[in-house]
Amino acid sequence: MNLQLIDLFWLTLCAIALWGWWEALKVREIALGAARRQCQELDLQFLDGSVALRKLGLRRDTRGSMRLARTYTFEFSSTGEERYNGEVDTLGRWVKDVRLDAHRISYH
């Protein structure tokens, strides 16, 4: 088998794309866990069991290195009647912030 330079280029490009996809799945799972934990801690219902990517960009971390910054959205409920929005901000593989819309407090 005789590989040419263009073949190596396409193989490298496919490997980078596969790695990027794998990394995106990993970070999504981290954001999903953060949203679930936040809802559990505040006794809220985590609706739909998923997060959705809303924003993607580059941002510097505390050491000055460029990292992918992602914002994921999710929905929750405090009473079971209304739906509210929440967001999880990640920087690389780290959760930077979890924000929730103002919502009613349910008294059991």
Side-chain angles (χ1 to χ4, degrees), residues 22-37:
W22 184 262
E23 185 70 16
L25 284 178
K26 185 71 172 165
V27 174
R28 184 183 174 282
E29 287 298 318
I30 292 168
L32 182 62
R36 271 198 186 112
R37 276 189 305 280

Side-chain angles (χ1 to χ4, degrees), residues 38-91:
Q38 185 75 13
C39 288
Q40 274 182 334
E41 288 173 7
L42 298 175
D43 198 27
L44 301 170
Q45 297 172 24
F46 181 59
L47 302 176
D48 303 329
S50 66
V51 294
L53 182 64
R54 187 178 71 96
K55 192 173 9 174
L56 177 68
L58 292 173
R59 197 173 304 145
R60 293 194 183 276
D61 64 11
T62 56
R63 290 185 266 168
S65 300
M66 292 300 284
R67 302 269 182 213
L68 272 178
R70 296 173 174 97
T71 299
Y72 293 90
T73 61
F74 63 94
E75 292 185 330
F76 67 94
S77 179
S78 59
T79 63
E81 296 175 13
E82 305 94 1
R83 293 175 91 87
Y84 300 100
N85 294 315
E87 292 184 340
V88 178
D89 288 334
T90 63
L91 187 58

Side-chain angles (χ1 to χ4, degrees), residues 1-15:
M1 185 163 135
N2 189 8
L3 287 178
Q4 296 195 6
L5 190 57
I6 192 70
D7 297 328
L8 289 175
F9 169 78
W10 288 114
L11 280 173
T12 304
L13 189 63
C14 287

